[in-house]
Amino acid sequence: MNERKQNELEENGREDLAEVVEAAINERIEKQTPLQYIIGEWDFLDLKSIKIRKPCLCPRPETEEMASMILDAVSPDNIADFRVLEIGSGTGALGLALLYRWVHMRGIQKVKLDAIDIAQEATELTEENARIFGLHDHVVANHVSFAEFMARRAETKNDQRRVLYHLIISNPPYIPSEEVDDLESVVKDHEDRRALDGGVDGMDLIRDILNGAHLLLIPGGQIWLEVDPSHPKMIQDYLASAATSSEGNLRAIHAERSLRELRLEDSIEDFMGNMRFVKLGGGLALMIDRVMMALSNE
């Protein structure tokens, strides 16, 4: 290739790139489109260039911070079949970041992630990112709400076939409904409202997770949640207010006892000083509850 031709190609390339950059800038300014959507990918912990598409929630620095905390606190070493449940997977960034560190960087192969999300776009993107990062054999993504997920488990007659989890993780919708419309345009006009709106007090899905923990978590397992700064106290109060009455059927009684057994072990600030993360754990009562509920089904 002669020098003149090469110079022409380089000049055309620069012009094409300039047009792309200009279009991206205009979209960012005029439509307030999140930069992650414009670029189509983002780095998240060890995941370089994880795919991102509208309307899936863009991974936040706070969620990346929680991933690092979980990696410091949890290890699948010496566990034959370590199971993780992610509720509301979005792009898959949180759960996949954990698996990537364990599987590819520490060589721990017997780790499985069940990822659920109410949005089909999210489960498809989670699957795509799992393939990109070589984790597809470790991930099952299901397009299902948490309520539907729990209902399907209830339909499984044999308790032995119900998977129990060592770790439950979630960045649930936690913004109070009346505050969603006050969010910046870059958020409220582009990201899936179902991933943002947590109900009147932002606690709808969080309460559901707490209520279902006794059916999902192994004794000694952990739950990590990203929450609104007002939620740690609300969670503590909710656990403390679990009914002590023995009225009701056997299933309800043991569910209440298991809720009381679930402990708020820690609440942690994010890098901005906001109380953003909670760690919960459960003990022996979770196992007793499952035994008693199995007996009540006979």
Side-chain angles (χ1 to χ4, degrees), residues 1 32 35 40 46 48-49 54 56 63 121 126 176 206 220 226 239 260 262 268:
M1 182 183 299
Q32 289 292 294
L35 188 59
D46 303 310
K48 305 306 178 184
S49 301
K54 188 175 182 176
C56 298
T63 310
E121 300 94 335
T126 294
I206 293 171
E226 181 176 330
L239 296 177
R260 291 201 307 277
L262 195 63
I268 308 167

Side-chain angles (χ1 to χ4, degrees), residues 36 39-52 59 64 68 91-94 96-101 104-105 125 128-135:
Q36 294 92 328
I39 297 174
E41 57 188 35
W42 206 253
D43 290 351
F44 187 91
L45 214 60
D46 303 310
L47 304 177
K48 305 306 178 184
S49 301
I50 188 170
K51 298 298 181 184
I52 299 176
E64 190 172 13
S68 295
T91 63
L94 177 57
L96 295 178
L98 303 182
L99 262 62
Y100 190 90
R101 180 75 62 88
H104 292 319
M105 301 180 71
L125 191 53
E128 179 180 341
N129 280 320
R131 288 192 298 270
I132 290 171
F133 292 100
L135 295 166

Side-chain angles (χ1 to χ4, degrees), residues 12 18-19 32 37 39 56 63-64 94-95 101 104 130 142-143 151 159 161-162 190 199 210 220 258 261-262 266 282:
N12 290 336
E19 291 177 2
Q32 289 292 294
Y37 289 160
I39 297 174
C56 298
T63 310
E64 190 172 13
L94 177 57
R101 180 75 62 88
H104 292 319
N142 287 298
H143 173 214
D159 285 349
R161 295 180 182 176
R162 294 176 184 162
H190 297 277
L210 300 179
S258 295
E261 178 67 13
L262 195 63
D266 205 357

Side-chain angles (χ1 to χ4, degrees), residues 198-212:
V200 174
D201 58 3
M203 283 273 292
D204 282 2
L205 182 54
I206 293 171
R207 270 188 291 267
D208 289 344
I209 293 171
L210 300 179
N211 291 335

Side-chain angles (χ1 to χ4, degrees), residues 246-276:
S246 60
E247 297 177 1
N249 60 47
L250 187 61
R251 181 179 297 274
I253 292 170
H254 288 286
E256 290 167 355
R257 291 177 181 173
S258 295
L259 185 59
R260 291 201 307 277
E261 178 67 13
L262 195 63
R263 301 180 305 278
L264 177 61
E265 296 183 346
D266 205 357
S267 53
I268 308 167
E269 293 181 348
D270 62 19
F271 62 92
M272 295 294 291
N274 298 312
M275 200 61 70
R276 184 66 63 192

Side-chain angles (χ1 to χ4, degrees), residues 160-231:
Q160 299 302 317
R161 295 180 182 176
R162 294 176 184 162
V163 174
L164 299 179
Y165 297 95
H166 300 82
L167 175 65
I168 298 173
I169 56 176
S170 184
N171 175 17
Y174 59 72
I175 300 172
S177 298
E178 66 178 12
E179 297 180 15
V180 174
D181 289 332
D182 295 331
L183 296 173
E184 295 180 355
S185 175
V186 69
V187 175
K188 68 179 181 180
D189 292 341
H190 297 277
E191 294 182 298
D192 192 338
R193 188 181 181 105
R194 293 173 296 179
L196 302 168
D197 190 339
V200 174
D201 58 3
M203 283 273 292
D204 282 2
L205 182 54
I206 293 171
R207 270 188 291 267
D208 289 344
I209 293 171
L210 300 179
N211 291 335
H214 67 290
L215 298 173
L216 297 169
L217 200 65
I218 68 162
Q222 296 182 22
I223 301 175
W224 283 79
L225 305 174
E226 181 176 330
V227 298
D228 182 83
S230 66
H231 287 164

